[in-house]
Amino acid sequence: MAKIRKRLGDILVEHGLLTQDDLNEALQTKTADQRIGDALLQRGLITEQQLIETLEVQLGIPHVSLFRYPFDKNLFNMVPKEMAKRNQLVPLKVEGDKLFLAMTNPMDYIVIDDLRLMTGFQIQPAIASKEDVLKAISKYYDEESFDDLIGELPVTKQDQQEDMGDLDAPIVRLVSQILSNAVSLKASDVHMDPQENRVLIRYRIDGSLRTERILPKAMQGMITARIKILANLDITESRIPQDGRIKTNVDMRPIDLRVSSLPTVYGEKIVMRILDLSANLTDISKLGFNDLNMERFMREIDKPNGIILISGPTGSGKSSTLYAALNKLNSEEVNIITVEDPVEYQLEGINQIQVNTNVGLTFADGLRSILRQDPDIVMVGEIRDKETADISIRASLTGHLVLSTIHTNDSIASITRLMDMGIEPFLVTASLNAVVAQRLIRKVCRDCREIHQATEREKHIFEKRGLSIDTIARGKGCSQCNMTGYRGRMAIHEVLVVNEEIKDIINRNGTAGEIREVAIRNKTIFLIDDGLLKVKEGMTTTEEVLRVAMMD
């Protein structure tokens, strides 16, 4: 009698990795051609490692970790790179007449048959994570072609200029490869750092920079010129900073790149911010707000007028929060207009204006024009000066809801900053509804997460904030997180609602300390507290929270 194979979802439920309700919901909402494992991964209900281990039980096919795997580089000539990338597989080893492959889908018998006919070997599949396979392809296939490309680069300036327009030219393929690697590694930024005798290509992954490639100094001019051509920047001008944008497809995904060039003593430094247009930024429930902060934030954005400010440094996820709020408010009944520098993500049904200082379109000018367009909700990319602040306040006092960002350390400092700009206290109190301070912190890797006893120092930190802690989650390091113990990022928030008490303090030019006392009485969760609560939930570590939030 044939053995009936258990379904993947049932095995996950049996092992306590998933609840039956979550499984039922995923089955109902997944698309017709989507595998249940992919649907569960997309919703963050299981990790890729948990999926692989469960597939191993279900299919009886072994799983393999490709981190530091001793690959035989000669085998990469057997399987073409395009085929490896398209089908997400990588050759491991040959034993007798068997070719062992790491595959993300070891049940793809059509691909297995094609490879058997192509190589003449019997194919023996093993399961590997998608990220592991893509990293291996990027590292081993591209490493050889990278060296080949450097050897192919033109020597004379005339040849270099001719190559810039040729899509098959080595320098064009080199820049494409740098971008492709960055996207596959989920980098948020690519830095091209010129040094005295070399050029560093660095990727920012989960908020931390790491050097990915070291290139010869001779390649600096060609790479800079290629990136500037793509971003429509002036390649003849290297003495002043320039900003541009590149829209492209990388591995069949639409990607937007914000490009910035800055003259340094060793040449132009290029930074490219990667905006993945396929990323889902529009769900407010996935921003990491705790229940109290979520309730307060939702109440404030539902008000018909007033200003809501999101504060934090560059790269703290302010834009994502603003876009999620706008998406929540977006409906047929309201007219939403934004003025941004630059427009990062384009939202359907929202009118977005790009600041252009070259033709005199500043935040203030754009905002003035917006108010003649009968808006209900206005989003200003950033309040940078008194003029923009004045017009934003005027808009909020005449029946508009205004959302904006401001660069300050915390929510209370945002109030002080507005008054430093020269805004009268009575105008601040009449218009300001709430300030949300935000930071991004790294999450503990779910695949190598271990529970440890809290140290005495950690217990002391928690006690100072009126909390207690016994155990802390830490990642010991695995292939999924590049041995860092962290994978992915989440936000911590501080939602300060400007109530009557706080308005009284502002009107009489009271101190930040007085505002803080009222905020504490109103049960405001400060950045440090929200971070420590997430440590208690096992989502991050105390070190991560203290890296971005200060103790009193």
Side-chain angles (χ1 to χ4, degrees):
M1 191 172 132
K3 186 183 175 185
I4 298 170
R5 184 189 292 155
K6 278 191 180 178
R7 292 182 303 178
L8 177 70
D10 294 336
I11 299 172
L12 287 165
V13 172
E14 263 180 39
H15 285 74
L17 300 171
L18 195 65
T19 66
Q20 190 64 50
D21 289 344
D22 284 338
L23 175 61
N24 293 340
E25 189 187 338
L27 286 166
Q28 286 166 10
T29 55
K30 78 179 187 72
T31 56
D33 60 342
Q34 191 177 31
R35 290 179 294 179
I36 183 61
D38 292 336
L40 293 169
L41 279 177
Q42 191 179 320
R43 285 162 181 75
L45 296 170
I46 58 170
T47 68
E48 205 162 4
Q49 194 61 33
Q50 288 168 343
L51 175 62
I52 287 167
E53 287 168 5
T54 310
L55 282 170
E56 183 178 25
V57 171
Q58 186 201 26
L59 305 175
I61 296 173
H63 85 272
V64 61
S65 169
L66 303 184
F67 187 71
R68 292 180 182 156
Y69 188 88
F71 286 100
D72 179 355
K73 292 188 181 179
N74 296 322
L75 297 181
F76 292 106
N77 298 323
M78 265 192 203
V79 182
K81 180 184 171 184
E82 288 69 30
M83 187 177 195
K85 232 173 184 176
R86 186 174 63 250
N87 299 300
Q88 293 172 3
L89 55 89
V90 67
L92 297 173
K93 61 180 178 179
V94 169
E95 283 183 4
D97 65 343
K98 290 180 181 173
L99 171 62
F100 288 78
L101 286 180
M103 304 178 72
T104 58
N105 181 13
M107 306 298 284
D108 195 336
Y109 297 119
I110 295 170
V111 172
I112 289 173
D113 275 350
D114 286 349
L115 281 166
R116 184 171 53 78
L117 292 168
M118 184 194 298
T119 61
F121 285 97
Q122 293 298 316
I123 304 300
Q124 199 76 27
I127 312 169
S129 73
K130 181 179 177 181
E131 200 162 323
D132 262 7
V133 170
L134 291 178
K135 277 181 189 172
I137 291 170
S138 170
K139 184 174 180 184
Y140 293 101
Y141 276 102
D142 290 347
E143 200 172 59
E144 292 181 358
S145 57
F146 208 89
D147 295 336
D148 294 341
L149 284 173
I150 291 172
E152 289 177 39
L153 288 171
V155 179
T156 68
K157 285 213 165 180
Q158 187 181 347
D159 287 343
Q160 288 173 12
Q161 286 166 357
E162 286 172 6
D163 266 11
M164 287 301 165
D166 180 3
L167 293 179
D168 286 325
I171 192 64
V172 173
R173 285 182 285 144
L174 191 67
V175 170
S176 296
Q177 202 176 98
I178 288 168
L179 295 179
S180 178
N181 288 354
V183 170
S184 67
L185 292 170
K186 295 189 172 71
S188 60
D189 302 83
V190 179
H191 289 237
M192 197 189 90
D193 284 342
Q195 308 283 311
E196 188 173 5
N197 301 311
R198 57 187 186 164
V199 179
L200 303 183
I201 303 296
R202 301 198 292 166
Y203 295 162
R204 187 180 291 281
I205 300 168
D206 287 343
S208 300
L209 275 170
R210 75 169 198 228
T211 301
E212 194 65 24
R213 301 267 182 202
I214 298 174
L215 304 178
K217 184 72 173 174
M219 295 175 64
Q220 182 180 325
M222 287 182 282
I223 293 179
T224 303
R226 175 61 188 159
I227 293 169
K228 288 173 107 175
I229 286 168
L230 288 172
N232 289 322
L233 300 180
D234 184 355
I235 63 169
T236 62
E237 180 57 79
S238 59
R239 298 163 300 170
I240 57 171
Q242 294 185 69
D243 291 307
R245 192 167 194 152
I246 301 170
K247 267 199 166 183
T248 185
N249 281 314
V250 175
D251 297 335
M252 294 176 291
R253 285 162 65 188
I255 299 291
D256 232 358
L257 298 157
R258 273 165 48 190
V259 181
S260 168
S261 77
L262 186 74
T264 71
V265 289
Y266 295 125
E268 286 180 277
K269 174 180 166 68
I270 304 274
V271 175
M272 292 180 280
R273 165 70 57 90
I274 299 172
L275 304 170
D276 188 346
L277 302 180
S278 62
N280 182 15
L281 287 170
T282 52
D283 192 345
I284 209 163
S285 65
K286 292 181 178 164
L287 295 178
F289 280 102
N290 73 29
D291 293 342
L292 179 62
N293 281 344
M294 176 65 114
E295 181 203 322
R296 289 180 174 179
F297 184 61
M298 295 299 287
R299 193 170 64 234
E300 293 306 317
I301 65 172
D302 280 339
K303 288 184 178 176
N305 54 54
I307 295 180
I308 297 166
L309 291 177
I310 316 283
S311 83
T314 305
S316 58
K318 300 188 296 297
S319 298
S320 299
T321 304
L322 278 179
Y323 283 126
L326 287 180
N327 194 61
K328 175 76 177 161
L329 296 167
N330 191 12
S331 69
E332 196 181 329
E333 293 81 34
V334 293
N335 178 21
I336 302 176
I337 308 181
T338 75
V339 54
E340 306 169 58
D341 182 21
V343 174
E344 291 190 9
Y345 296 94
Q346 284 153 18
L347 300 176
E348 197 175 333
I350 291 175
N351 308 286
Q352 295 170 275
I353 299 169
Q354 168 80 51
V355 166
N356 187 348
T357 49
N358 294 333
V359 295
L361 179 57
T362 62
F363 275 120
D365 292 323
L367 199 42
R368 278 195 198 91
S369 304
I370 281 175
L371 298 178
R372 293 193 282 273
Q373 290 277 320
D374 182 34
D376 298 291
I377 298 162
V378 174
M379 193 266 264
V380 184
E382 187 186 338
I383 292 181
R384 294 177 180 170
D385 50 46
K386 184 178 187 295
E387 191 181 11
T388 311
D390 274 334
I391 303 165
S392 300
I393 285 168
R394 203 173 308 142
S396 72
L397 293 174
T398 52
H400 305 94
L401 179 68
V402 179
L403 303 173
S404 188
T405 70
I406 192 165
H407 283 235
T408 55
N409 287 330
D410 58 31
S411 55
I412 296 169
S414 302
I415 297 170
T416 317
R417 176 84 182 100
L418 286 174
M419 292 192 281
D420 283 346
M421 285 181 185
I423 306 298
E424 293 293 340
F426 72 89
L427 285 174
V428 175
T429 56
S431 58
L432 191 60
N433 289 353
V435 185
V436 180
Q438 179 170 320
R439 295 289 188 283
L440 289 179
I441 55 173
R442 292 181 293 173
K443 294 192 287 188
V444 170
C445 174
R446 286 169 64 184
D447 287 320
C448 61
R449 184 173 173 270
E450 292 180 338
I451 302 300
H452 296 268
Q453 287 297 312
T455 64
E456 288 304 316
R457 180 172 175 269
E458 283 171 328
K459 287 178 181 176
H460 178 64
I461 289 166
F462 275 77
E463 279 168 18
K464 279 182 76 175
R465 304 303 302 179
L467 300 166
S468 63
I469 188 86
D470 294 316
T471 58
I472 299 271
R474 293 186 198 285
K476 68 174 182 181
C478 66
S479 62
Q480 299 298 315
C481 61
N482 280 315
M483 303 308 288
T484 61
Y486 297 102
R487 191 164 182 231
R489 289 192 292 174
M490 65 193 299
I492 54 172
H493 302 93
E494 173 178 306
V495 180
L496 178 72
V497 177
V498 182
N499 63 9
E500 292 304 319
E501 275 187 278
I502 292 175
K503 287 178 181 179
D504 288 341
I505 295 167
I506 296 168
N507 281 331
R508 60 179 169 78
N509 285 317
T511 64
E514 290 177 89
I515 296 174
R516 178 171 283 275
E517 283 173 22
V518 174
I520 291 167
R521 285 205 300 276
N522 291 338
K523 296 191 169 71
T524 299
I525 298 171
F526 294 102
L527 281 172
I528 185 80
D529 301 321
D530 193 29
L532 294 179
L533 287 170
K534 286 180 166 71
V535 174
K536 270 182 80 79
E537 291 171 32
M539 298 162 85
T540 188
T541 61
T542 318
E543 294 86 355
E544 267 301 288
V545 175
L546 294 178
R547 185 176 62 82
V548 298
M550 288 174 59
M551 293 285 288
D552 296 341

